[in-house]
Amino acid sequence: MNLSFFDQFSSPSLLGIPLILISMTFPALLLPSMDNRWVTNRLSTIQLWIVNLITKQLMMPLDKKGHKWALILTSLMIFLLLINLLGLLPYTFTPTTQLSMNLALAFPLWLATLLTGLRNQPSASLSHLLPEGTPTPLIPALILIETTSLLIRPLALGVRLTANLTAGHLLIQLISTATVTLASTMPVVSLLTLLVLFLLTILEVAVAMIQAYVFVLLLSLYLQENL
């Protein structure tokens, strides 16, 4: 059976049942369960420190009104971070390489930030569509451009996350295939490609963390615009 490079991005299934829900919920099992005691072990301490650090970074650009979103944004950040990192392991599936899943995460949250602004301050939210001091002949064109840029925000969030992770996985597969193929004929070149593969893997770990952070950070900035 010949497999293409893009077969790794197809959703796995068992007896015709998609297993993407299992791959999405499995990272939550890796988190240690909370206890009534203040400190249980080193793993729980590290977990609390990471959650506290992520929450501080995400809440810095927000006003006090936006701190109500701390639980949602922090949970989304940890969810994306674990899925992206687990997807780098061999013989695993990365749900965030699916554009449909990323759009399903981006669109409702973007819509929630937009509706929050329209409910709390409708005039200020609508004023973003027309910059102050715009010449009268340019008003229809600018309103159309700003409305388009506003509506494509969730699409940009989903495409950015999907494209970066997909490109990284494809590069890793291409270089690993070249390393195995050259091992029998040109071992020196194979060692060089193996070194490149190791460096690329480190880079992809950084990309997986950065993309999860950028996804949630942009959502928090969209929220700040509407508060």
Side-chain angles (χ1 to χ4, degrees):
M1 181 178 179
N2 295 325
L3 299 177
S4 67
F5 288 124
F6 292 94
D7 286 334
Q8 61 175 318
F9 303 116
S10 60
S11 178
S13 60
L14 179 64
L15 300 177
I17 302 174
L19 301 180
I20 187 171
L21 291 178
I22 297 179
S23 60
M24 289 173 57
T25 55
F26 178 74
L29 302 177
L30 301 178
L31 298 175
S33 58
M34 300 302 295
D35 201 339
N36 293 328
R37 292 176 291 180
W38 283 101
V39 178
T40 55
N41 50 37
R42 291 185 179 89
L43 187 59
S44 298
T45 304
I46 293 174
Q47 176 194 355
L48 292 175
W49 178 78
I50 292 175
V51 170
N52 187 27
L53 179 64
I54 292 174
T55 306
K56 281 185 178 180
Q57 292 295 324
L58 294 178
M59 293 299 107
M60 276 196 302
L62 295 178
D63 296 335
K64 289 186 178 181
K65 295 180 180 179
H67 292 178
K68 300 176 182 178
W69 292 63
L71 180 60
I72 297 176
L73 296 178
T74 304
S75 302
L76 180 62
M77 172 72 181
I78 296 174
F79 174 72
L80 292 176
L81 186 63
L82 289 177
I83 284 184
N84 292 347
L85 292 177
L86 288 176
L88 295 174
L89 297 176
Y91 303 103
T92 56
F93 172 69
T94 312
T96 43
T97 57
Q98 305 293 313
L99 182 60
S100 57
M101 174 186 166
N102 295 333
L103 290 179
L105 292 174
F107 182 77
L109 293 173
W110 166 82
L111 185 61
T113 61
L114 183 63
L115 293 179
T116 300
L118 292 176
R119 184 190 64 179
N120 296 335
Q121 45 180 12
S123 300
S125 298
L126 294 176
S127 65
H128 293 158
L129 301 179
L130 184 63
E132 187 177 357
T134 304
T136 304
L138 297 179
I139 288 178
L142 278 180
I143 291 178
L144 182 62
I145 293 173
E146 292 295 331
T147 303
T148 304
S149 65
L150 178 65
L151 295 178
I152 65 173
R153 281 181 174 181
L155 180 62
L157 284 175
V159 170
R160 181 187 296 107
L161 183 58
T162 303
N164 282 281
L165 295 181
T166 302
H169 283 65
L170 284 176
L171 280 175
I172 290 177
Q173 186 171 1
L174 286 170
I175 297 178
S176 60
T177 303
T179 303
V180 174
T181 304
L182 296 173
S184 58
T185 57
M186 292 181 286
V188 178
V189 179
S190 178
L191 289 177
L192 291 177
T193 55
L194 182 61
L195 177 61
V196 173
L197 179 62
F198 176 72
L199 296 176
L200 180 62
T201 304
I202 297 177
L203 177 63
E204 284 305 311
V205 171
V207 169
M209 294 188 290
I210 291 172
Q211 289 304 316
Y213 175 69
V214 168
F215 187 92
V216 183
L217 179 63
L218 289 176
L219 281 174
S220 65
L221 294 178
Y222 297 158
L223 177 63
Q224 178 59 28
E225 288 183 1
N226 292 283
L227 288 179

